[in-house]
């Protein structure tokens, strides 16, 4: 497998992150926000976003595994839980990519059960047509096709996360 083409450039990504950071800054102006990055893929977008947030913000991270088998659909296993209590907090979940949607929909349900004040979802890339359990993405960077992509946090067997652009592997 090799990189066959750049799908979204570094510049396009940087511009989009600024645009979304502005939206988040206006939405939560004067309020506290807990940003929850989903490891590992979201580490790049969380750090780029973080530098542009002008809010009373705290960062936390979670690592989860989703199961897609017919018997276990709808399950998320927590590999690493949050450090902070999110009860009565404004929560923003930040994910790298929304593919089938199962990870985010299950995670959102799980975090809602902890009674946050509000909960919103950010996904840098969205594969719209493949969603099986659609949830509202409040902040979405780019809609892409169903192809497998790497870079900007996304990996293939642990590789390519460091690329500053989004690329297709072939
Ligand atoms: P979902 O539950 O199907 O929405 O899965 C989302 C997760 O699958 C993401 O957090 C990624 O880790 C992974 N994923 C989905 N599509 C891609 C891709 O094109 N490249 C790399 N990872 C992907
Ligand atoms: Mg992931």
């Amino acid at each position: 497998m090799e990189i066959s083409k750049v799908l979204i450039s570094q510049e396009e990504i940087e511009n989009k992150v600024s645009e979304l950071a502005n939206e988040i800054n206006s939405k939560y102006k004067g309020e506290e926000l807990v940003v929850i990055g989903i490891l590992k893929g979201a580490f790049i977008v969380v750090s780029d976003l973080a530098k542009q947030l002008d809010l009373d913000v705290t960062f936390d991270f979670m690592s989860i595994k989703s199961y897609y088998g017919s018997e276990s659909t709808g399950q998320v296993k927590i590999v690493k839980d949050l450090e902070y209590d999110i009860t009565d907090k404004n929560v923003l979940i930040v994910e790298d990519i929304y593919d089938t949607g199962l990870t985010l929909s299950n995670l959102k349900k799980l975090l809602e059960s902890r009674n946050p004040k509000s909960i919103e979802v950010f996904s840098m890339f969205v594969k719209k047509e493949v969603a099986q359990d659609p949830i509202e993405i409040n902040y979405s960077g780019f809609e892409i096709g169903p192809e497998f992509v790497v870079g900007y946090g996304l990996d293939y067997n642990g590789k390519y996360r460091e690329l500053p652009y989004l690329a297709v592997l072939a």
Side-chain angles (χ1 to χ4, degrees):
M1 297 283 261
E2 275 180 50
I3 286 166
S4 66
K5 70 168 182 204
V6 174
L7 200 60
I8 304 174
S9 71
Q10 178 170 7
E11 192 187 359
E12 288 173 282
I13 290 176
E14 284 170 0
N15 291 338
K16 186 64 80 173
V17 171
S18 300
E19 203 181 290
L20 295 172
N22 287 339
E23 276 183 47
I24 296 166
N25 284 332
S26 333
K27 164 94 191 203
Y28 294 98
K29 196 168 185 216
E31 296 192 53
E32 272 181 73
L33 179 66
V34 182
V35 170
I36 299 179
I38 308 307
L39 296 172
K40 304 186 181 81
F43 82 108
I44 302 254
V45 63
V46 168
S47 66
D48 281 352
L49 195 60
K51 290 173 270 182
Q52 305 206 45
L53 293 180
D54 183 17
L55 295 168
D56 182 357
V57 65
T58 326
F59 297 90
D60 208 343
F61 292 90
M62 238 178 141
S63 177
I64 55 178
K65 288 234 176 308
S66 296
Y67 295 102
Y68 301 94
S70 51
E71 299 144 47
S72 49
T73 300
Q75 299 301 308
V76 274
K77 177 173 175 253
I78 299 177
V79 178
K80 180 213 169 291
D81 206 342
L82 297 175
E83 187 179 334
Y84 301 124
D85 182 2
I86 57 166
T87 309
D88 293 328
K89 303 286 186 190
N90 295 311
V91 166
L92 177 63
I93 304 174
V94 177
E95 180 54 309
D96 49 5
I97 192 165
Y98 178 92
D99 184 5
T100 65
L102 291 172
T103 304
L104 274 173
S105 68
N106 292 323
L107 183 66
K108 194 177 176 197
K109 281 178 210 146
L110 177 86
L111 295 181
E112 271 166 350
S113 73
R114 299 182 184 182
N115 302 310
K117 179 176 173 193
S118 68
I119 186 159
E120 286 197 314
V121 177
F122 175 114
S123 184
M124 195 57 209
F125 307 105
V126 175
K127 292 185 183 174
K128 259 275 159 64
E129 26 189 296
V130 263
Q132 289 174 13
D133 187 0
I135 57 162
E136 189 189 352
I137 307 293
N138 306 91
Y139 309 94
S140 110
F142 299 93
E143 276 186 30
I144 60 170
E147 66 268 33
F148 193 83
V149 288
V150 295
Y152 205 66
L154 291 158
D155 73 306
Y156 172 68
N157 287 345
K159 302 288 185 189
Y160 305 111
R161 292 191 197 273
E162 72 285 2
L163 300 176
Y165 48 81
L166 191 76
V168 180
L169 272 195

